[in-house]
Amino acid sequence: LLYERHGEPAAVVQLKDLEEPKLGDCDVHVKMLAAPINPADINMIQGTYPLLSPLPAVGGNEGVGEVLEVGRHVAALKPGDWVIPADAGLGTWRTRGVFPEEMLLKVPSDIPVLCAATLSVNPCTAFRMLADFESLVPGDSIIQNAANSGVGQAVIQIARASGIKSINVVRNRPDLPKLVERLMALGADHVITEEMLRKPEMKDIFKSIPRPKLALNCVGGKSTTEMLRHLQPKGTMVTYGGMAKQPVMVPVSAFIFRDVRLRGFWMTQWRKEHAQDQESVAAMMEALCQLIRRGQLTAPACTELPLQHYRAALQDCMKPFVSSKQILLL
């Protein structure tokens, strides 16, 4: 799926037949199996993301493929192995591709294909935010908005597996009871709406669990300011998205009297900074794959579509209140 200019995805993305490049000595020939459509993919096509691929570009930053053939200097991969992108910008919305070995990471093929296809962005983001900003121990709590997003669903499950309580904020919607039920089934301790953040009943939640040390913000605007009120003194709020397209507003009192910390996180940047630190990357992947094997981390709710239905998939993922991730089967 190729785009030659930036613009609205359904208008600029086209299905094209390309000739496969020859396999070089350090290259890997990959048959793609499945690739999701993430918000960052959409922003890249629109031309609004901080990282843009040179045009013309193949869409998609995430997915899983099977190795068909390797160049003679490739040591770490062999035919039959499963691989995911080592970094953003690979262009995963294709049936086959030839990539340099260093652009791929091997993943175990004994995990479900949808888990592998959605492994490198959302679960990694969730894992790093839970690990890198506060020293959380069993019994501690976190609060997050956009809890039904791909990252949100991974945060709930990783927190639950680590004994950490989660307070999960979602927007009010027509099918709210169904969404609450689904997030509770994943391991959420509390699921509340943005409106509830302002209500005195919030105090009841903190009778049974401590106030959160960590807040994860993917929205911005009012929801974020309200979420910050419930943070422990010296707690940290990490912003990793801005779905409301509104700034993060913080009352001065939160800084002075509660000394809260505001940080940001971007998985692409973390990967850049750890490009030479393969141990950290491998340890994270191993931890996530272990959770998947134990059934403690599942793929987000997915809608699977064949590649030729890409237009419908691109349109669906732009609709509000869609909790299901569109996955292209290749």
Side-chain angles (χ1 to χ4, degrees), residues 229-270:
R229 286 183 202 285
H230 303 295
L231 207 54
Q232 266 188 35
K234 293 196 186 310
T236 304
M237 183 169 80
V238 182
T239 293
Y240 69 98
M243 283 161 38
K245 296 187 167 57
Q246 289 165 348
V248 170
M249 309 284 269
V250 182
V252 171
S253 60
F255 280 129
I256 299 172
F257 303 118
R258 294 188 15 252
D259 189 16
V260 297
R261 273 164 265 238
L262 266 63
R263 301 285 305 273
F265 183 75
W266 187 28
M267 194 63 218
T268 302
Q269 187 62 33
W270 187 92

Side-chain angles (χ1 to χ4, degrees), residues 89-157:
L90 190 70
T92 53
W93 301 349
R94 60 171 102 213
T95 51
R96 290 170 176 230
V98 173
F99 308 107
E101 180 185 16
E102 71 269 12
M103 290 177 78
L104 302 168
L105 278 179
K106 183 178 167 179
V107 291
S109 54
D110 65 344
I111 61 174
V113 73
L114 292 184
C115 288
T118 54
L119 182 62
S120 64
V121 177
N122 295 335
C124 290
T125 300
F127 184 91
R128 295 267 53 107
M129 291 194 302
L130 288 170
D132 294 352
F133 294 93
E134 285 285 343
S135 304
L136 298 170
V137 297
D140 282 344
S141 80
I142 60 126
I143 188 167
Q144 64 165 345
N145 54 23
N148 57 309
S149 67
V151 171
Q153 293 175 59
V155 164
I156 289 171
Q157 295 174 83

Side-chain angles (χ1 to χ4, degrees), residues 68-98:
L68 294 177
E69 196 185 348
V70 299
R72 53 194 188 140
H73 294 332
V74 173
L77 295 169
K78 61 184 188 308
D81 284 346
W82 278 15
V83 287
I84 62 172
D87 215 336
L90 190 70
T92 53
W93 301 349
R94 60 171 102 213
T95 51
R96 290 170 176 230
V98 173

Side-chain angles (χ1 to χ4, degrees), residues 157-276:
Q157 295 174 83
I158 297 167
R160 166 51 64 99
S162 316
I164 293 156
K165 310 283 183 197
S166 65
I167 303 161
N168 301 280
V169 185
V170 295
R171 284 183 298 173
N172 207 351
R173 64 194 62 216
D175 62 344
L176 185 67
K178 214 158 89 193
L179 176 62
V180 171
E181 193 183 322
R182 199 156 62 73
L183 296 183
M184 295 297 277
L186 287 179
D189 293 280
H190 297 275
V191 182
I192 58 173
T193 61
E194 291 183 342
E195 292 71 30
M196 171 106 179
L197 281 170
R198 294 178 205 110
K199 298 203 167 139
E201 294 91 288
M202 281 298 289
K203 287 198 180 75
D204 296 340
I205 289 180
F206 300 122
K207 284 175 184 161
S208 59
I209 64 174
R211 283 186 177 269
K213 278 186 182 175
L214 181 67
L216 304 177
N217 165 45
C218 179
V219 179
K222 202 177 236 174
S223 138
T224 306
T225 311
E226 297 297 341
M227 195 165 67
L228 195 68
R229 286 183 202 285
H230 303 295
L231 207 54
Q232 266 188 35
K234 293 196 186 310
T236 304
M237 183 169 80
V238 182
T239 293
Y240 69 98
M243 283 161 38
K245 296 187 167 57
Q246 289 165 348
V248 170
M249 309 284 269
V250 182
V252 171
S253 60
F255 280 129
I256 299 172
F257 303 118
R258 294 188 15 252
D259 189 16
V260 297
R261 273 164 265 238
L262 266 63
R263 301 285 305 273
F265 183 75
W266 187 28
M267 194 63 218
T268 302
Q269 187 62 33
W270 187 92
R271 286 193 193 284
K272 266 201 193 78
E273 287 166 6
H274 293 79
Q276 303 310 313

Side-chain angles (χ1 to χ4, degrees), residues 3 6-7 42-50 52:
Y3 56 100
H6 294 125
I42 299 294
N43 297 150
M44 282 173 84
I45 297 165
Q46 290 166 331
T48 58
Y49 203 62
L52 298 176

Side-chain angles (χ1 to χ4, degrees), residues 1-3 5 7-15 35-46 57-61 92-93 303-320 322 324-329:
L1 291 177
L2 201 70
Y3 56 100
R5 59 188 171 89
E8 275 319 291
V12 299
V13 173
Q14 294 174 315
L15 188 56
I37 300 176
N38 288 318
D41 303 328
I42 299 294
N43 297 150
M44 282 173 84
I45 297 165
Q46 290 166 331
V58 177
N61 289 294
T92 53
W93 301 349
T303 304
E304 300 169 52
L305 291 155
L307 185 62
Q308 48 274 33
H309 293 184
Y310 71 95
R311 266 212 176 88
L314 287 169
Q315 280 160 346
D316 281 353
C317 70
M318 310 276 285
K319 290 177 184 163
V322 173
S324 185
K325 195 180 276 291
Q326 305 292 315
I327 301 258
L328 300 168
L329 297 180

